[in-house]
Amino acid sequence: MVKSMEITKASVRDRLVIDVNVVMLDPQDFDFSPRASIEGSTLSLCNNEEPTSSSFELDSEQMTAAERDRMLELRVKFSVEGMHGALTHKTPKPMTGPNSKKLAEPRWKTLLPLSM
């Protein structure tokens, strides 16, 4: 189940691109099926039929791209509450320790149809 969703950035490349941070409640929960809709110039994202949603005000260039394509590219960065926090034990020489590499970040990219 999704705890929170936050739209961090909206941009136009070939189509409208939306970056979202999603916080899940449980690491074993895979129930994420986003829906996108536009009312006026406000983009709203929600997960299936859950009450958690996020909205973002689009400018005229972004609205033109959304109306033209009737779809958007959604780039999602997932995290789980309690799993992605601050490290408590750091190695004295990070160049040689287990912290020398960046931790994997679960990311997801998809195309969503827009309902207007």
Side-chain angles (χ1 to χ4, degrees):
M1 185 170 183
V2 174
K3 179 181 178 187
S4 67
M5 289 191 328
E6 178 190 3
I7 298 175
T8 56
K9 186 172 88 171
S11 60
V12 176
R13 293 202 175 111
D14 293 337
R15 62 179 66 93
L16 181 63
V17 178
I18 305 294
D19 292 344
V20 180
N21 288 339
V22 176
V23 178
M24 304 296 279
L25 287 174
D26 183 18
Q28 297 301 317
D29 188 8
F30 306 109
D31 184 27
F32 182 67
S33 54
R35 307 285 188 256
S37 63
I38 291 183
E39 293 180 21
S41 64
T42 304
L43 171 72
S44 298
L45 283 176
C46 65
N47 181 31
N48 211 356
E49 295 178 6
E50 292 180 12
T52 56
S53 67
S54 183
S55 60
F56 191 82
E57 194 71 28
L58 300 176
D59 63 15
S60 61
E61 181 185 2
Q62 294 166 345
M63 277 299 296
T64 304
E67 289 171 349
R68 179 189 65 218
D69 298 334
R70 300 282 180 167
M71 68 173 49
L72 59 88
E73 181 178 329
L74 188 69
R75 298 189 305 185
V76 182
K77 178 182 172 189
F78 288 102
S79 61
V80 178
E81 182 179 274
M83 284 187 65
H84 297 87
L87 295 173
T88 55
H89 303 290
K90 292 186 178 182
T91 56
K93 294 184 180 179
M95 294 180 290
T96 59
N99 299 338
S100 61
K101 293 183 181 176
K102 187 176 179 183
L103 294 173
E105 294 178 342
R107 296 186 183 264
W108 190 52
K109 190 187 292 189
T110 188
L111 292 175
L112 280 182
L114 278 172
S115 62
M116 296 185 141

